[in-house]
């Protein structure tokens, strides 16, 4: 009886028959192990670490190389102070430099303007030193030289120059008027001070008996190499009484100077030892006032046209309308030869006419007569006007005659006998010329 065929059974071929090929199976895609991706991350991380290690090694090698180079190099000089060709501010100046060397410093030599000085040498770390020298230098240019020698004998030298502004000098205050310690007539007086400072002014206060005034300093044109100059001028009305004037000035370096002066004001001019002429802004006092009053005053000399001052020749002088007063070393007063200075001519000598009423001066070879002779004799003569240095001349229709210290002019009138003599205002003319020259400068 036949056995039923089972569908799930596999037939076994008979002996001698070919073995059937096994059925084909679909190949699944091969799955990569999960650990493969993490291996790549590890490889990347290891590569970055390697690069960092190599960079660090390179830095170390470079540092070692630089260090070895430094051991064999000359000393170096850096950070020079003051900066070459610079201008140091007033006051103390520090000459300073940083020295680097591969070997210990054996010797440091610092010279200023060729003179050795003793600087401080302070360690600033491994193989570096600060060389420092501080002092107040005179105003002007200076030459510095720093030489460094290390323990191996290697030498480094540096030269440079700088300009010093000089010491911190407090402002100076000079009272130009009214002079202290004198007595003045009640009325208007001019207060005048001259200031000199190393740096511009920061503040200034002028007080009269403790009361501040409204006055501002005026800076004068700067002169190269000279301190700054300021002018302070105040015209103020002073009743009779005693006064103390105080001036305090401070410059931009906080250097302060205070000065004061006293003056006494009286109601009676006769009791005043100094006079002020507001119309020409000038004071008359001291030996010049005494000489002026004793020898004719306004009639002969006119009024002062400017204050006393020291001339370029070193002489104290004061100009008046008709004269120039000069203070002699012994305290006496002489008269300037303004007539001779104004004449500018050499005229021939004349012979002595030996005539009545005519005076002949052999010293200069000229004569004196008439109204000129009378005025000359009545107002001081030889001691005031000096010798005649010309005969009577006609200049622009006016009869004139020159003397060593004056020029006379004959002013005619309807009656020849009443003609008068005036003294030419040579002093005022010369003073005006001096003022113009000062303004042009």
């Amino acid at each position: 009886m036949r056995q039923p065929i089972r569908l799930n059974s596999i037939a076994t071929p008979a002996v001698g028959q070919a073995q059937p090929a096994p059925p084909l199976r679909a190949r699944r895609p091969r799955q990569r192990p999960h650990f493969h991706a993490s291996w790549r991350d590890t490889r990347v991380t290891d590569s970055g670490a390697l690069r960092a290690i190599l960079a660090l090694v390179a830095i170390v090698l470079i540092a070692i190389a630089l260090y070895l180079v430094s051991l064999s190099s000359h000393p170096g000089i850096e950070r020079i102070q003051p900066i070459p060709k610079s201008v140091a501010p007033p006051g103390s100046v520090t000459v300073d430099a940083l020295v680097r060397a591969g070997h210990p410093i054996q010797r440091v030599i610092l010279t200023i303007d060729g003179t050795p000085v003793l600087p401080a040498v302070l360690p600033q770390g491994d193989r570096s030193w600060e060389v420092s020298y501080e002092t107040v230098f005179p105003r002007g240019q200076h030459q510095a030289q720093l030489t460094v020698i290390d323990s191996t004998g290697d030498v480094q030298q540096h030269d440079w120059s700088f300009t010093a502004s000089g010491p911190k000098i407090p402002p100076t205050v000079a009272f130009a008027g009214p002079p202290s310690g004198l007595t003045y007539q009640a009325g208007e007086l001019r207060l005048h001070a001259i200031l000199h400072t190393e740096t511009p002014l920061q503040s200034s206060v002028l007080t009269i008996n403790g009361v501040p005034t409204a006055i501002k300093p005026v800076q004068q044109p700067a002169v190269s190499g000279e301190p700054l100059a300021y002018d302070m001028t105040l015209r103020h009305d002073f009743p009779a009484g005693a006064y103390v004037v105080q001036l305090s000035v401070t410059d931009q370096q906080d250097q302060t100077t205070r000065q004061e002066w006293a003056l006494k004001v009286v109601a009676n001019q006769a009791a005043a030892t100094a006079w002020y002429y507001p119309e020409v802004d000038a004071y008359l006092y001291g030996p010049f006032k005494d000489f002026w009053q004793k020898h004719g005053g306004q009639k002969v000399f006119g009024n002062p046209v400017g204050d006393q001052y020291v001339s370029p020749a070193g002489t104290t002088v004061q100009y008046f309308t008709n004269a120039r007063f000069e203070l002699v070393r012994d305290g006496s007063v002489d008269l300037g030869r303004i007539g001779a200075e104004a004449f500018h001519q050499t005229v021939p000598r004349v012979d002595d006419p030996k005539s009545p009423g005519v005076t002949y001066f052999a010293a200069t070879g000229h004569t004196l007569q008439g109204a000129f002779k009378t005025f000359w004799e009545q107002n001081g003569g030889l001691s005031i006007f000096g010798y005649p240095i010309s005969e009577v001349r006609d200049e622009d229709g006016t009869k004139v005659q020159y003397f060593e210290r004056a020029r006379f002019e004959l002013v005619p009138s309807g009656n020849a006998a009443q003609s008068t003599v005036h003294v030419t205002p040579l002093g005022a003319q010369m003073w005006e010329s001096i003022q113009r020259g000062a303004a042009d400068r």
Side-chain angles (χ1 to χ4, degrees), residues 26 58 69 78 86-87 98 266 278 393 395:
V69 170
E78 307 172 4
S86 66
V87 179
L98 181 66
V266 296
R393 301 160 56 87
E395 291 186 357

Side-chain angles (χ1 to χ4, degrees), residues 77 97 99 108-110 131 144-148 156-158 160:
I77 300 175
V99 176
V108 172
I109 304 171
L110 177 64
V131 179
Q145 182 184 83
L146 177 60
T147 303
V148 179
Q156 183 63 274
Q157 179 177 296
H158 191 84
W160 75 102

Side-chain angles (χ1 to χ4, degrees), residues 63-217:
I64 293 174
L66 292 176
Y67 177 75
L68 292 175
V69 170
S70 70
L71 292 178
S72 62
S73 64
H74 295 287
I77 300 175
E78 307 172 4
R79 295 186 350 209
I80 299 295
Q81 293 293 334
I83 297 173
K85 298 183 179 180
S86 66
V87 179
S92 181
V93 177
T94 300
V95 178
D96 189 86
L98 181 66
V99 176
R100 298 185 189 276
H103 299 279
I105 296 298
Q106 183 181 50
R107 190 179 180 192
V108 172
I109 304 171
L110 177 64
T111 64
I112 306 295
D113 300 326
T115 301
V117 297
L118 185 62
V121 181
L122 304 175
Q124 295 297 305
D126 186 28
R127 304 189 185 281
S128 63
W129 295 263
E130 181 184 16
V131 179
S132 180
Y133 175 74
E134 182 178 359
T135 191
V136 176
F137 290 95
R139 178 195 295 268
Q141 189 177 67
H142 299 276
Q143 187 73 30
Q145 182 184 83
L146 177 60
T147 303
V148 179
I149 306 172
D150 68 14
S151 59
T152 67
D154 284 337
V155 179
Q156 183 63 274
Q157 179 177 296
H158 191 84
D159 297 78
W160 75 102
S161 64
F162 61 91
T163 299
S165 300
K168 281 187 177 180
I169 301 176
T172 61
V173 176
F175 292 123
S180 183
L182 300 180
T183 303
Y184 301 87
Q185 183 183 9
E188 181 183 22
L189 296 177
R190 183 248 296 147
L191 304 179
H192 183 206
I194 299 173
L195 319 176
H196 289 95
T197 66
E198 295 297 316
T199 59
L201 278 182
Q202 178 175 293
S203 64
S204 61
V205 179
L206 178 71
T207 62
I208 300 175
N209 285 351
V211 179
T213 62
I215 181 174
K216 299 294 182 182

